[in-house]
Amino acid sequence: MQDTIVIALGGSLLSSDESDKINLWKIDFVNLINSVLDSGVKIFIVVGGGKLARKNIAKAKNDGIVDEFQLDLIGINATRENARDVIKSFENVQNLNKNVPKSIDDVLISFGNYDLTIMGGTVPGHTTDTVAIKLAKEINSKLVVIATNVSHVYTGDPREDRNATPIEKLSLKELGELSGVGKPIQPGSSFAVDPVGVSLAIDHNLPLVILNGHDVENLRKAIYGEPFNGTIVYGDD
Ligand code: UTP
């Protein structure tokens, strides 16, 4: 197993109309993270905004805010609120960073002090996927797991393209082409992986794992290097 792991935890995993399901998921997720910590691995979780971000951004738009920078800030606040919520589930962890770092620099400054760091967004212009990828680059982590609410990267948008099929393995360059690297993103909109982050991963040759975070056992397999259900994005050797 790697000695540091970065997990981008999609905000959609934290909220659902079925609160019982979320509570059960949380128990499994917390147990998994605790057992990985017990084996001496440092973990960084970057939490997404999910429903809360979408709701707050929609409300702001309704109130007449059109500036994307402002809307992104609202999204970032939602991600940090979710991160604070996730921190509450890990209060038993000895070397837990109880504060939500606001930047990658904040994380780097306190890197040696904590085994578990949980944060949200940083600056406008990208999503928490990008924060996770940036962080992985800075701390030299070789495992970035994008835990989202889809099982794989698909050949097309499965909501629009009935022939879209899941991809088990592809190169960073191929992911870049599929995810539309270079195209602008809309505040609050969701992609399988943020193209800004994909572009960064390509620049730094950072492999990625994309999977459905609802399935904690599958997440465990990915973390422990066992065969899992999801997409492996490989770099150049
Ligand atoms: P998310 O990372 O949650 O984006 O950030 P998402 O695509 O909705 O991902 P899921 O659904 O949680 O998986 C929510 C919004 O917050 C702003 C962006 O507007 C983003 O769409 N944001 C977030 C930033 O501007 N900068 C950040 O570092 C993080």
Side-chain angles (χ1 to χ4, degrees):
M1 205 182 345
Q2 303 292 336
D3 52 4
T4 57
I5 299 175
V6 179
I7 302 172
L9 194 68
S12 52
L13 302 173
L14 304 170
S15 59
S16 148
D17 296 335
E18 296 167 86
S19 63
D20 284 357
K21 254 191 183 169
I22 295 289
N23 290 339
L24 286 175
W25 171 85
K26 245 188 192 163
I27 292 169
D28 289 344
F29 179 72
V30 169
N31 285 339
L32 169 64
I33 297 300
N34 274 310
S35 73
V36 177
L37 286 169
D38 284 346
S39 53
V41 176
K42 262 183 191 290
I43 305 179
F44 299 82
I45 302 175
V46 185
V47 184
K51 224 177 181 177
L52 184 65
R54 275 191 291 280
K55 188 186 89 186
N56 292 355
I57 288 171
K59 184 179 177 303
K61 280 183 176 167
N62 217 22
D63 293 344
I65 298 178
V66 288
D67 180 29
E68 289 195 357
F69 190 91
Q70 295 301 325
L71 295 171
D72 278 350
L73 289 178
I74 290 164
I76 291 169
N77 280 337
T79 64
R80 289 179 180 159
E81 195 172 326
N82 282 344
R84 279 191 289 275
D85 214 48
V86 175
I87 285 175
K88 285 186 200 146
S89 303
F90 290 100
E91 272 164 356
N92 63 319
V93 172
Q94 217 177 7
N95 292 327
L96 164 74
N97 185 350
K98 293 198 173 105
N99 298 308
V100 173
K102 292 204 160 95
S103 66
I104 305 279
D105 279 350
D106 278 0
V107 179
L108 297 180
I109 288 165
S110 60
F111 183 80
N113 301 347
Y114 305 113
D115 293 336
L116 178 61
T117 297
I118 299 167
M119 67 188 296
T122 52
V123 291
H126 51 66
T127 75
T128 42
D129 293 346
T130 301
V131 177
I133 292 167
K134 254 189 189 157
L135 181 59
K137 179 208 153 240
E138 292 299 333
I139 63 174
N140 204 18
S141 172
K142 300 281 180 287
L143 180 57
V144 184
V145 180
I146 312 275
T148 179
N149 62 355
V150 290
S151 64
H152 293 83
V153 170
Y154 278 73
T155 52
D157 185 343
R159 287 167 305 185
E160 288 165 16
D161 177 3
R162 279 193 328 137
N163 298 321
T165 51
I167 304 172
E168 311 249 301
K169 226 171 178 186
L170 80 171
S171 69
L172 279 164
K173 193 167 166 277
E174 287 164 333
L175 181 68
E177 281 153 20
L178 268 177
S179 66
V181 163
K183 291 184 194 158
I185 59 158
Q186 290 298 310
S189 63
S190 49
F191 298 87
V193 196
D194 177 358
V196 182
V198 174
S199 168
L200 197 74
I202 293 170
D203 289 349
H204 299 285
N205 197 33
L206 256 178
L208 306 172
V209 160
I210 296 140
L211 48 71
N212 187 334
H214 284 292
D215 184 346
V216 176
E217 171 56 13
N218 194 44
L219 174 61
R220 187 198 65 75
K221 288 179 183 163
I223 289 175
Y224 283 85
E226 297 170 16
F228 67 95
N229 186 35
T231 301
I232 294 173
V233 187
Y234 56 88
D236 302 328
D237 285 332

